[in-house]
Amino acid sequence: AVQAQEAQRWSPPAAADRCPSRWGAADRRGSMNLMTPERAKRAAQLIRTGEIVECGQTLAQTMPFFGTRRFDVHLKRTFMNPEPNRRGSNEELVVAEIAQVGTQLDAFPHQTIGDEGYNCVNIPRISSRNGFTEMGVDRVGTIFTRGVLIDVAALKGVATLPDTYEITPADLEQALARQNTRIEEGDAVLIHTGWGLLWARDNARYVASCPGLGVAAAEWIIRQNPMLMGSDNWPVECAPSKTMPDASLPVHQLALAVHGVHLLENMKLDVLAQRRQYEFAFAVQPLKIQGGTGSTVAPSALF
Ligand code: UVW
């Protein structure tokens, strides 16, 4: 899987080329406009046995963290009634960057192009002590749609794609052909790289770099109007970018700030890949964090 690709420069499209978005200048929902009752019914039709496969990693202090993100748990023995029933009560104080740790869904204010977010919304204008006044993760709502797993690791015959392997449109086309699967409008498109096998086993390597989507591959998916793009790595995209080495997380900007397509990171996709389950109903509900940039989530695939 050696890649010889020419380095290119990437900069996001000019404002005039990205705004208004395909959903109109007033739109703040982006790809969630695709979450219709018809799509929910279509997803429900994919449930035949009722089996559920969880696709979320467990939140724990042993998980990998990007930068200074944290998740600290402090147990509290809060109350005990001595008599007559001797009831004890336990809870915990969690100190965490809860929008951006573990398996997480990114909302649009998470990424900007300069001061502009999705649909050229001025991000300082919508910033407040209670989070963002527009496009916060609390506005995303329930996602229940068709999910499709694209197993690029299996296409390449490896358990884990090499560090910084940049997935191309050809890889996606070949993996889909190999699986006899296709992307449909409104899908949750999930990319299996195998990188999730490092989760809580080799955290330093997990966050140092990763294989994932290149810009061309992300554009290829976005042209097919997904509801979200997810993967079993920390940024969904290849990092650092191989073909665009000067650009910092270009797929983040492309998905969230240019096209209004949500990203779902740090997924657990090994079970789906092992079972060769490529099409399913997919469910995820972000936490209602007011004005949040994202949310830790626990997605599931249903068969
Ligand atoms: C990174 O980990 C940098 O991606 P995100 O900020 O979306 O979590």
Side-chain angles (χ1 to χ4, degrees):
V2 174
Q3 284 190 309
Q5 289 170 321
E6 263 180 46
Q8 301 162 31
R9 286 190 69 81
W10 187 81
S11 48
D17 295 329
R18 63 185 145 84
C19 307
S21 81
R22 62 177 286 221
W23 302 105
D27 180 64
R28 300 292 181 262
R29 287 185 61 68
S31 60
M32 284 307 291
N33 284 294
L34 297 165
M35 188 62 261
T36 60
E38 289 67 35
R39 282 215 167 75
K41 282 197 288 186
R42 162 90 174 93
Q45 284 164 5
L46 296 171
I47 303 174
R48 297 193 177 95
T49 65
E51 187 189 7
I52 298 172
V53 174
E54 292 190 53
C55 303
Q57 299 282 8
T58 301
L59 291 170
Q61 291 175 58
T62 51
M63 64 187 173
F65 295 101
F66 187 81
T68 57
R69 293 175 187 174
R70 59 190 287 199
F71 181 83
D72 298 332
V73 178
H74 305 272
L75 283 181
K76 289 167 70 185
R77 187 109 173 107
T78 54
F79 176 72
M80 186 174 285
N81 190 35
E83 295 296 341
N85 57 336
R86 301 177 65 237
R87 185 180 76 85
S89 179
N90 299 309
E91 55 193 76
E92 58 278 277
L93 169 70
V94 177
V95 180
E97 199 170 323
I98 202 67
Q100 298 291 338
V101 292
T103 304
Q104 70 201 245
L105 184 124
D106 284 344
F108 305 147
H110 181 46
Q111 298 289 295
T112 69
I113 299 167
D115 272 350
E116 288 177 347
Y118 168 64
N119 232 347
C120 293
V121 171
N122 183 275
I123 294 295
R125 178 182 66 75
I126 64 165
S127 305
S128 85
R129 288 295 298 269
N130 287 322
F132 293 93
T133 56
E134 298 179 25
M135 306 190 295
V137 75
D138 52 321
R139 314 277 177 96
V140 172
T142 303
I143 294 172
F144 182 66
T145 190
R146 177 178 181 264
V148 58
L149 181 80
I150 307 180
D151 195 344
V152 182
L155 172 75
K156 300 293 178 183
V158 295
T160 303
L161 292 173
D163 311 49
T164 74
Y165 181 84
E166 188 165 299
I167 295 169
T168 65
D171 289 336
L172 298 175
E173 284 176 315
Q174 288 165 23
L176 285 165
R178 176 182 167 276
Q179 302 171 188
N180 195 24
T181 324
R182 60 189 194 88
I183 296 174
E184 296 177 9
E185 184 174 72
D187 280 355
V189 178
L190 313 180
I191 312 298
H192 180 242
T193 69
W195 202 244
L197 294 177
L198 301 177
W199 183 269
R201 293 196 177 90
D202 190 346
N203 290 346
R205 186 173 162 212
Y206 185 89
V207 294
S209 69
C210 68
L213 293 177
V215 167
E219 285 174 333
W220 187 85
I221 296 172
I222 289 169
R223 276 198 294 276
Q224 299 177 69
N225 301 326
M227 197 173 298
L228 62 85
M229 299 190 292
S231 193
D232 55 350
N233 62 12
W234 50 272
V236 179
E237 61 194 286
C238 169
S241 172
K242 265 230 167 100
T243 50
M244 322 269 176
D246 295 340
S248 166
L249 298 182
V251 171
H252 265 59
Q253 279 186 316
L254 190 70
L256 298 168
V258 176
H259 292 286
V261 173
H262 293 288
L263 294 175
L264 185 44
E265 302 161 332
N266 295 324
M267 298 189 73
K268 181 171 172 13
L269 297 176
D270 55 329
V271 176
L272 293 180
Q274 272 162 22
R275 296 187 188 179
R276 301 181 186 187
Q277 287 174 309
Y278 302 126
E279 184 192 35
F280 35 83
F282 182 77
V284 61
Q285 167 70 64
L287 296 175
K288 306 289 281 186
I289 303 170
Q290 187 176 26
T293 62
S295 164
T296 187
V297 289
S300 292
L302 298 87
F303 299 91

